[in-house]
Amino acid sequence: MTIQFNNESFRDDYSFYNSERAIKRFPFPFHEDSYMYSVNMEQHRGGPVDSVYEMRFDVDEHYVSEMRDRAMVLADDPLRCQSLPHMTLAGWDLLELIMVSKSEDYPDLFELHRDGNKWRWINKPLGIDHSFTFLDEATLPCGPMEYITRQAQGDFAVLDQRDDNLWMDAGMVTTQADWSLDFDIGMNFFEWHAPVPLAHEKGIFVRALKFLMNIQQGAPARRLNWTMTVNPLLDTSPENYHKWGIQKTELTPQNIGAKQHLRVELQTFFRLPRSNALVFPIRCYLCSFQDLMGVPKWGRRLHRVIRDLPEELATYKGFIDNRPMMLDYLKDFDDGLPTSPGIWPELDTEPPLTR
Amino acid sequence: MSGAEKITVKVTEVVPLNELVTRFRFERADGGLLPTFSGGAHTVVEMHDGGITRLNPYSLMSDPMDQTAYTISVRRDDEGRGGSLFMHQQVKAGDEMVISFPVNLFSLDLRAKKHLFLAGGIGITPFLAQIKQLQRFNGNWELHYACRSAALGSYADELTDHYPNETHVYYDDEKQTIDLVNLLDGQPLGTHVYVCGPKGMIDWVRKTAAAEGWPREAIHYEEFLAPQPGKPFEVKLAISNKTIEVGENESLLEAMERENVDAPYLCRGGACGQCETRVIDYAGNFIHRDHWLDDAEHAGGEKIMPCVSRFEGKTLVLDR
């Protein structure tokens, strides 16, 4: 499989786009016609061919451009990448996990050659060929976590596990849905989830923490989460809210199909062997409403989910003001026919729109 | 699915260390590399002893960075239900066995400025791996190791040889004891204490440290309990709609597994909390033996840890 990398931007002129292939493999997050929080975890060990679940770390057509955007965010704000001193070993764990996974899963794009602790890493899409000594920071241009996450799509929260809790003690966070690593650094699981509505009352976080602390080596897990973003922005951070928040008011009935994006996070969880830390990669996928509407099942379902979503969740996810305009657009793609269960597009079996 | 991922290994060495302790070396049966792990991790070893399957946890004592082999040391327990006797008497070099991926319930707090290790008897094993891990990164550690006698002091000599400044060994038969209050008093700020050994030792360290004003978070402990034999008892499993008999020499968890009831587990030694089960109804007495539930929960009659705890009485109904 060869990947044609897009040359695109996630800011200014927003030249980001999804190819036909990217739309078909978009991780649509709703498995039924309604949505409520749940600890919707499953094992992360492969999935349908060419789906975002297939590989341990999905690499797609946005890879090169996303990495360029990350470098720009970091140049403006170095605090998007932080690692407390005791997390360096976890950083090496993460570097090893990503290098081994990518070189095995995408041998045409990435190579890892190891001779004891003498490692050579070749990243063809980014033009990197670097030899270094594993576990020797002096042989890398920056810390191990920063080094490898400048070459891996998605945000990474690296969590220390101690005192029956998880602690946000390191991370690379430049493509986030409005949360800040600099604010959350050093917090425990309950502290950094404090702003989330409804889920605490439902006991979601107590159960989720228990599940996460029991994730073991060799048995990674995954789930999907979602929100809404106007314009294909990767960096919707609180730090830059003054830049992107205002764009939510620029939505019109004419431009909503192109500008309004469903933002989906593929969240995975891996136990890191040498440090016993947990890494939480949060991979962001964006898809415009008009591209989603090309899949009849998704058109029907998205309308029903957004229409029936509790007000607290629409507020928390930041689109309560735009919801009427969204529904006005989406209703034309819901003909009332039933949808099949599951997230997959089912283009061959789902009937086309009947109005 | 219950438990951690499995690995098929070949026993490549069986070395009796002394009258009570034997060391086993495992390599991957397919010749590949084993996963790395963090110091303090254990593996659960599957034993097929006649018709009985036992899964016992043992601390990994080899270098966490060494992916060619794992080693464990097993102390023979003549009073127990036979897991350690099986390892001592039945397992031979060349045998194939199934072990779990490493699981760590006793990891180092890597923020610590210093790691103070307190070992009692076979409790030395997790520290052997942690010491190797810390040595690699120039960590600051100190070991105080109490054992019955020089003859039974597994690894005491090699530790003293390799790390004469860090290692302190105490022999019971020479009336040597750890001067704990004094030892704790002399530690620099940011020291974390780790204790692994018999229950009495763990309780003594935790109580003494608490009395000396140490923060709870700075005291780490691990004791795997082997399930103890006991009187047979009957359990009703509400979800599975089965009534099963727990035999004298099996645990409640093992009895559920025998009846193909999918019960979660991880450490099987009363430490991890994974097998916690809700009690729906009971008439009788619980014999709680785990470290997971607190005293109030033990008294409450609403939860049981089926890996090590038992029951005596008329009725027990579980949410499983």
Side-chain angles (χ1 to χ4, degrees):
Chain A
M1 177 190 54
T2 34
I3 301 172
Q4 198 69 41
F5 295 108
N6 299 354
N7 184 10
E8 60 192 355
S9 64
F10 303 88
R11 55 180 73 204
D12 306 326
D13 62 343
Y14 298 113
S15 60
F16 164 87
Y17 65 97
N18 281 309
S19 67
E20 276 302 311
R21 174 173 170 252
I23 296 169
K24 242 177 86 183
R25 72 198 298 279
F26 182 75
F28 189 74
F30 307 111
H31 63 91
E32 57 187 9
D33 288 354
S34 63
Y35 174 80
M36 199 8 136
Y37 288 126
S38 62
V39 186
N40 51 335
M41 298 277 190
E42 61 177 6
Q43 295 292 315
H44 181 43
R45 38 187 92 194
V49 173
D50 198 36
S51 73
V52 300
Y53 290 153
E54 186 184 11
M55 305 302 189
R56 285 165 279 187
F57 295 90
D58 183 43
V59 176
D60 67 8
E61 64 191 28
H62 308 297
Y63 177 54
V64 174
S65 295
E66 281 189 29
M67 293 301 95
R68 193 166 51 213
D69 194 72
R70 163 156 294 163
M72 290 159 78
V73 173
L74 288 169
D76 287 346
D77 183 359
L79 293 177
R80 301 299 189 87
C81 178
Q82 300 190 41
S83 177
L84 298 182
H86 62 283
M87 298 302 282
T88 304
L89 184 58
W92 285 109
D93 267 329
L94 180 60
L95 175 142
E96 180 179 36
L97 175 67
I98 293 177
M99 286 186 179
V100 170
S101 302
K102 284 194 169 180
S103 60
E104 288 175 359
D105 293 348
Y106 301 93
D108 53 332
L109 301 179
F110 305 96
E111 291 175 27
L112 178 63
H113 304 280
R114 288 182 285 184
D115 175 14
N117 279 345
K118 300 285 171 212
W119 290 25
R120 180 179 172 203
W121 167 246
I122 300 172
N123 178 336
K124 292 179 190 166
L126 296 184
I128 293 167
D129 181 343
H130 189 80
S131 295
F132 63 98
T133 306
F134 186 67
L135 298 176
D136 181 356
E137 276 186 276
T139 61
L140 289 178
C142 53
M145 180 194 70
E146 179 177 347
Y147 180 79
I148 197 59
T149 57
R150 278 177 178 269
Q151 302 178 44
Q153 288 165 279
D155 286 340
F156 291 83
V158 188
L159 314 176
D160 196 18
Q161 181 161 333
R162 56 175 199 270
D163 309 337
D164 297 324
N165 214 323
L166 294 167
W167 304 80
M168 181 83 69
D169 285 352
M172 168 68 91
V173 181
T174 68
T175 67
Q176 69 270 50
D178 206 4
W179 67 281
S180 163
L181 175 71
D182 191 39
F183 185 74
D184 287 357
I185 191 95
M187 286 189 186
N188 72 33
F189 190 77
F190 297 113
E191 290 167 343
W192 85 69
H193 281 120
V196 183
L198 301 181
H200 292 275
E201 294 86 326
K202 288 170 158 287
I204 294 277
F205 289 122
V206 173
R207 272 183 290 146
L209 176 63
K210 195 171 167 183
F211 180 92
L212 293 174
M213 290 200 305
N214 272 312
I215 285 179
Q216 299 303 334
Q217 269 181 256
R222 67 183 173 217
R223 70 185 285 259
L224 295 177
N225 197 9
W226 66 279
T227 189
M228 292 287 177
T229 303
V230 174
N231 290 323
L233 273 157
L234 283 177
D235 176 27
T236 50
S237 59
E239 285 90 340
N240 279 333
Y241 188 79
H242 59 290
K243 295 181 192 164
W244 60 268
I246 188 80
Q247 298 178 21
K248 292 199 276 183
T249 65
E250 293 163 8
L251 218 53
T252 66
Q254 290 70 44
N255 67 21
I256 185 169
K259 267 185 174 300
Q260 181 64 58
H261 288 71
L262 177 60
R263 182 190 194 98
V264 175
E265 292 175 352
L266 169 58
Q267 306 182 342
T268 50
F269 305 88
F270 297 82
R271 176 67 55 197
L272 295 175
R274 300 167 197 271
S275 59
N276 202 41
L278 193 73
V279 68
F280 174 21
I282 309 159
R283 171 66 186 279
C284 170
Y285 295 85
L286 294 163
C287 191
S288 68
F289 271 21
Q290 66 188 22
D291 282 349
L292 287 169
M293 295 307 110
V295 178
K297 174 177 167 182
W298 293 352
R300 295 180 178 108
R301 181 164 291 167
L302 188 61
H303 173 247
R304 297 167 197 177
V305 169
I306 299 306
R307 181 190 63 201
D308 301 338
L309 195 74
E311 199 149 309
E312 296 97 319
L313 290 188
T315 305
Y316 173 65
K317 289 178 185 288
F319 63 87
I320 186 77
D321 291 343
N322 285 334
R323 178 150 75 169
M325 201 192 299
M326 286 180 185
L327 291 174
D328 209 43
Y329 174 85
L330 292 170
K331 71 172 186 334
D332 291 343
F333 299 91
D334 184 1
D335 51 17
L337 288 184
T339 55
S340 59
I343 64 171
W344 308 107
E346 319 284 0
L347 285 165
D348 299 334
T349 51
E350 211 77 358
L353 191 68
T354 54
R355 65 166 77 140
Chain B
M1 197 205 62
S2 298
E5 292 294 291
K6 313 278 191 210
I7 312 169
T8 305
V9 293
K10 197 163 132 181
V11 180
T12 55
E13 230 177 53
V14 178
V15 183
L17 291 179
N18 53 46
E19 203 186 304
L20 288 179
V21 178
T22 296
R23 183 174 69 226
F24 300 85
R25 179 183 166 92
F26 301 127
E27 294 176 32
R28 264 189 107 108
D30 63 10
L33 294 177
L34 291 159
T36 50
F37 61 95
S38 48
H42 70 266
T43 183
V44 173
V45 178
E46 278 187 33
M47 301 170 209
H48 300 283
D49 184 5
I52 305 167
T53 300
R54 291 207 179 82
L55 297 100
N56 285 8
Y58 295 104
S59 295
L60 293 167
M61 52 170 281
S62 41
D63 184 343
M65 304 279 169
D66 180 2
Q67 293 183 260
T68 60
Y70 290 162
T71 54
I72 61 168
S73 288
V74 179
R75 182 188 187 279
R76 200 181 73 232
D77 178 5
D78 296 322
E79 310 290 305
R81 303 171 318 135
S84 66
L85 288 174
F86 177 85
M87 291 298 292
H88 276 248
Q89 293 166 358
Q90 308 289 323
V91 176
K92 303 278 179 288
D95 288 358
E96 274 206 357
M97 298 188 85
V98 172
I99 66 174
S100 76
F101 261 61
V103 171
N104 201 339
L105 304 172
F106 190 50
S107 58
L108 295 169
D109 190 325
L110 294 175
R111 298 171 308 162
K113 302 281 184 273
K114 177 180 173 184
H115 305 271
L116 179 64
F117 298 139
L118 305 175
I122 195 64
I124 189 67
T125 50
F127 297 130
L128 296 170
Q130 291 180 330
I131 287 168
K132 289 176 190 115
Q133 179 176 339
L134 288 173
Q135 281 297 113
R136 186 172 198 112
F137 299 103
N138 299 315
N140 182 9
W141 62 274
E142 186 177 310
L143 169 71
H144 294 260
Y145 175 22
C147 42
R148 271 203 239 163
S149 63
L152 291 175
S154 312
Y155 309 109
D157 289 346
E158 66 177 75
L159 284 164
T160 308
D161 285 351
H162 281 88
Y163 316 110
N165 297 326
E166 290 86 359
T167 305
H168 308 262
V169 183
Y170 306 78
Y171 297 114
D172 294 350
D173 66 347
E174 294 176 31
K175 302 271 184 278
Q176 297 168 340
T177 52
I178 301 173
D179 181 1
L180 187 57
V181 172
N182 203 22
L183 180 64
L184 292 177
D185 190 38
Q187 298 306 316
L189 276 180
T191 299
H192 278 245
V193 174
Y194 305 78
V195 55
C196 186
K199 185 166 170 40
M201 179 179 189
I202 293 172
D203 291 346
W204 169 60
V205 171
R206 292 177 64 199
K207 280 191 184 125
T208 308
E212 296 299 305
W214 280 64
R216 184 185 52 80
E217 298 81 12
I219 312 297
H220 310 264
Y221 57 94
E222 179 164 70
E223 182 204 6
F224 287 132
L225 304 159
Q228 294 297 308
K231 284 188 202 145
F233 60 100
E234 203 180 78
V235 191
K236 186 160 187 285
L237 304 172
I239 295 176
S240 329
N241 195 22
K242 282 182 179 174
T243 300
I244 66 169
E245 175 88 6
V246 181
E248 180 184 347
N249 281 306
E250 67 182 346
S251 68
L252 171 52
L253 177 62
E254 288 164 346
M256 289 194 281
E257 289 169 343
R258 170 170 52 74
E259 295 295 327
N260 300 314
V261 173
D262 187 26
Y265 73 86
L266 202 55
C267 79
R268 306 180 80 90
C272 76
Q274 188 74 354
C275 70
E276 182 181 298
T277 304
R278 199 167 68 84
V279 175
I280 294 173
D281 190 21
Y282 74 104
N285 298 311
F286 291 98
I287 305 163
H288 289 296
R289 299 192 57 254
D290 61 277
H291 295 302
W292 176 253
L293 303 174
D294 61 28
D295 290 348
E297 287 170 315
H298 281 159
E302 288 174 6
K303 288 172 186 172
I304 185 169
M305 309 304 290
C307 65
V308 292
S309 298
R310 302 182 72 88
F311 181 79
E312 279 180 359
K314 246 172 51 189
T315 321
L316 176 62
V317 186
L318 298 180
D319 183 24
R320 187 66 77 200

